[in-house]
Amino acid sequence: MNDLALRAINLTKRYGRFTALDDLCLEVPAGEVFGFLGPNGAGKSTTIRLLLGQVRPTAGRAWVFDSDAADAARAHRSLAYVPADVALWPQLTGAEILRLLACTGPGVDLAYRDELVQRFALDTSRPARAYSTGNRQKVALVAAFATRAPLLVLDEPTSGLDPLMEREFRIAVAEARDRGQTVFLSSHQLAEVEAVCDRVAILRAGRLVEIATIEQLRGLHRAEVTVSYVGAPPPGLELVPGVDTVEQVSPGRLRFSLIGPPAPALRALAAAEVTALAIREPNLEEIFLDYYGAAKSTR
Amino acid sequence: MSTRTVASAIGLSVPADPGRAVTRLAVRQLRRSGLIVLALVASMPALVASTYTSVMADPAAAGSIATLAANPAIRTLFGEPIALDQAGGFTVWRVGTFLAVLLAAWAILATTRITRGEEDAGRWDVLLAGRATLREVVVRHLAAIVIVPVATGVAVAVVLLLAGTDPAGAAVHGAGIGVLGLFFVAVAGLAAQVFPARAAATGTAVAVLGTALLTRMIGDGLTGLGWLRWLSPFGLLALSEPYARNRVLPLLILLAAAVLLAGATIAAAGRRDVRGGLAGVAGGRRPRLLLLSGVGAFAVRRMLRPLTGWALGIGAYYLLIGFTTVSVTELLTDNPALAEEAARAGFTALGAVEGFAATLFALLALPVGGFTTVRVSAFVAAENSRHLTLLTAQPVTRIRLLAAEIAATAGGAMALVSIAGLAVWAGITATGGDLTWLAALGGAWNTLPVVLLSLGAATLAAGWAPRAAALAGSLPATGGFLLLVIADSAGAPAWLRELSPFAHLEPVPLTAVDWTSTLIMITLGVAMGVAGVLGYRRRDLQG
């Protein structure tokens, strides 16, 4: 089997004159938990529908392991999917839907499925018509996690779940990772992505703007540095590359933002009598808002 | 008042009447199909009436009419023939019931679609979070639907007047058609309040329609049970006797029933939950795991319940036809003049059991073609409502997904056609007639190519223009039938008539199957189906 779980080359989708996804190139190695971020309408769901072969690319190609994404019967033998807005056949009960998906799916671990039903506290005797949004999502999650498919494609899977169930979700993702399954997770819950993902991609207006590990992203983004000192302030701090918005918080206290390696800034600080130094790394939300803010200003 | 002052002061736009927006929304969802139904129902009587060439003009007519009217079987199947000596009366008898059923069916489907269907899909949640109440939204939607039967009734009356028929008869018939439409809007409206699902609401209302039709047929056929017609909307329509006695009382009763049902609908809408019905949703139940083992089995499972409904309706109708066959054919054999008149009215070769059965078997393509169209449309609807999404993410090709649906539908159609054949055979045999069950099945199966054309056209649309699936599917059977009737009534050129698949159906079992036409139709149907599957394979899924 290929060591890439997902691969997209120049993947493009246009609807008339509107470009939903523009020239996406993406590789997700097998075994990775991959986060897929972007503001509403950035093209996340379009990407996933292209990867699933539900919509056809205007240009480019995508592969799921060794299979062309367009060859659904083959490609889907190695994936399981949870859609963003789960719609179930209203007349079937949860148990019946799980049975249907097990019979038509890529193979299922029945014992693990029963365990997941317990853990997600899902009442499978009720018809889908009577399920809330969260319960419908649970049915799809249980069905997907119970498969032994090497790739799980999850499109905003926790948007309707309560915090307790979200914790179960994170545990299930960790278990999938431990089994060697690849997880492709599109989400707006940045704390969740930060907690479970190895790498993330950020999409904006149909274009991939960043793809990196969360550590790398932090390195690329402004950390907030606060310095306390006695005597004269560190000279020429504004001129140090990577340092921005130097601000005198109070007498003997400076705050500035820093992008990139901190060594030049530390050398500049060495000229002053520094009494305390705090570097706060940005969280994913700040990184995301950075991109999103940029998106708004360039539009 | 103070709200508006404050709102305008801070620049908010607060429309004075949010209800109008709701009405506009309802009208938008109806205008296309509503106009089609209006045009169809108004133009058919115009055609028949304007081409009426004194079918009953010869001196023997009076006697023939009496004989015809006295035969219970004729009355059962075609309604009581009255005032056939006038263009208006003849038109009512020839197409009145058909058009009433067409309008009633539209009223039911449109009502449940834009009320319960929209609510079921969750689109009313946002609407009802505004200032409009559930009751107001329901009332405004029903009011919008009601425009169509009212306009249709007026159009029918005007058209018959313009054709030069008796004004009183035209008014009574137009009013009857309109009020019948209102009645079924109210029936469907109430069903949509009682049941929390569109399918159940539609099914119940259609069952009311079928029962009403059967009640009228029995009431017409059996003199002792004539009072039954007072209980059926179609019976009341017949009792108004347009162009004969022009009675208003039956129509007032029908109108009163419609108003009563509409009142119940509004009351129910005021006291039920949004997305709920008067009948509650079942809580938990034991899983029924049969027919979930694959996409093919699941397609069969989803079809079984609707198939049962269609089988009951079609089976009952054809059983009734079987029961009446012997009586009608004996009547026509004994009255050659009458048989000739029947032939001029468009019913040829009714004098033999085989001929009579064949004529009515040809009609079978209408409901069964409708069944295939409804199934393919339901498949497209499942795609739109994303019910299919999880299945399309399974290791199943799209071809297999659609092929499973087509195969199940074709099997269902085969079952329906066979049930009709066997029902006719059972009816004829029980009344002492002579028709082998193989001949009956042959006659029923002879209509399968037309059904296949419907299935093929619906599939073709599902692959290339999914929104048009219902329209495309109804073209070969319903459209072809209307084309033939119109072409025959208006004396249209032969090539126009030949476009209808029904022009190529031999009256089996009276004569042998026309294999050339049959094979051409089968090839066309299969070709459209294959093209549709190929289109479905490459297009983007919706939803």
Side-chain angles (χ1 to χ4, degrees), chain B residues 254-337:
Chain B
L254 187 54
L255 183 64
V259 169
L260 208 67
L261 284 173
T265 306
I266 294 164
R271 62 172 50 204
R272 71 176 175 86
D273 295 342
V274 176
R275 292 232 215 174
L278 294 186
V281 177
R285 65 168 165 85
R286 296 176 65 84
R288 295 191 279 265
L289 298 177
L290 212 66
L291 290 173
L292 288 173
S293 58
V295 289
F298 187 49
V300 173
R301 175 173 169 135
R302 275 179 291 126
M303 184 186 66
L304 280 182
R305 197 178 288 190
L307 181 68
T308 311
W310 285 86
L312 280 175
I314 291 176
Y317 180 71
Y318 278 89
L319 190 64
L320 209 58
I321 285 176
F323 279 135
T324 55
T325 301
V326 174
S327 166
V328 175
T329 49
E330 276 171 2
L331 169 78
L332 292 174
T333 321
D334 297 343
N335 295 275

Side-chain angles (χ1 to χ4, degrees), chain A residues 13 49 53-56 73 76 81 83 85 87-89 91-93 96 99-101 103-105 125 127 129, chain B residues 197 283-285 287-289 292-293 298 301-302 385-387 389 392-395 397-398 537-538 540-541 543:
Chain A
K13 181 66 184 176
R49 282 160 64 76
Q54 290 177 342
V55 297
R56 305 302 190 198
H76 294 183
Y81 169 56
D85 186 359
L88 303 172
W89 298 96
Q91 68 277 29
L92 298 189
T93 65
E96 289 163 355
R99 169 67 162 256
L100 175 69
L101 294 176
C103 288
T104 53
S125 73
R129 183 186 308 288
Chain B
R285 65 168 165 85
R288 295 191 279 265
L289 298 177
L292 288 173
S293 58
F298 187 49
R301 175 173 169 135
R302 275 179 291 126
S385 59
R386 299 188 307 280
H387 290 149
T389 305
T392 56
Q394 300 288 67
T397 59
R398 288 213 208 150
R537 196 175 84 112
R538 56 171 294 284
D540 292 349
L541 294 181

Side-chain angles (χ1 to χ4, degrees), chain B residues 210-415:
Chain B
T211 313
L213 208 54
L214 279 178
T215 309
R216 194 230 68 190
M217 291 168 93
I218 294 167
D220 271 340
L222 306 173
T223 325
L225 293 176
W227 54 268
L228 270 178
R229 295 193 296 176
W230 288 95
L231 302 180
S232 157
F234 293 99
L236 289 168
L237 200 60
L239 286 168
S240 71
E241 300 189 21
Y243 298 99
R245 292 167 65 187
N246 289 330
R247 290 204 285 179
V248 178
L249 178 67
L251 298 185
L252 288 180
I253 293 175
L254 187 54
L255 183 64
V259 169
L260 208 67
L261 284 173
T265 306
I266 294 164
R271 62 172 50 204
R272 71 176 175 86
D273 295 342
V274 176
R275 292 232 215 174
L278 294 186
V281 177
R285 65 168 165 85
R286 296 176 65 84
R288 295 191 279 265
L289 298 177
L290 212 66
L291 290 173
L292 288 173
S293 58
V295 289
F298 187 49
V300 173
R301 175 173 169 135
R302 275 179 291 126
M303 184 186 66
L304 280 182
R305 197 178 288 190
L307 181 68
T308 311
W310 285 86
L312 280 175
I314 291 176
Y317 180 71
Y318 278 89
L319 190 64
L320 209 58
I321 285 176
F323 279 135
T324 55
T325 301
V326 174
S327 166
V328 175
T329 49
E330 276 171 2
L331 169 78
L332 292 174
T333 321
D334 297 343
N335 295 275
L338 198 62
E340 211 173 295
E341 273 148 20
R344 262 185 285 166
F347 301 105
T348 44
L350 295 186
V353 167
E354 287 83 0
F356 183 76
T359 307
L360 289 159
F361 276 141
L363 296 180
L364 186 54
L366 288 168
V368 183
F371 166 78
T372 61
T373 305
V374 168
R375 292 313 300 162
V376 175
S377 303
F379 184 74
V380 171
E383 178 189 330
N384 277 326
S385 59
R386 299 188 307 280
H387 290 149
L388 272 179
T389 305
L390 282 173
L391 276 186
T392 56
Q394 300 288 67
V396 174
T397 59
R398 288 213 208 150
I399 292 188
R400 216 180 114 207
L401 208 58
L402 183 57
E405 198 69 23
I406 295 171
T409 304
M414 184 72 194

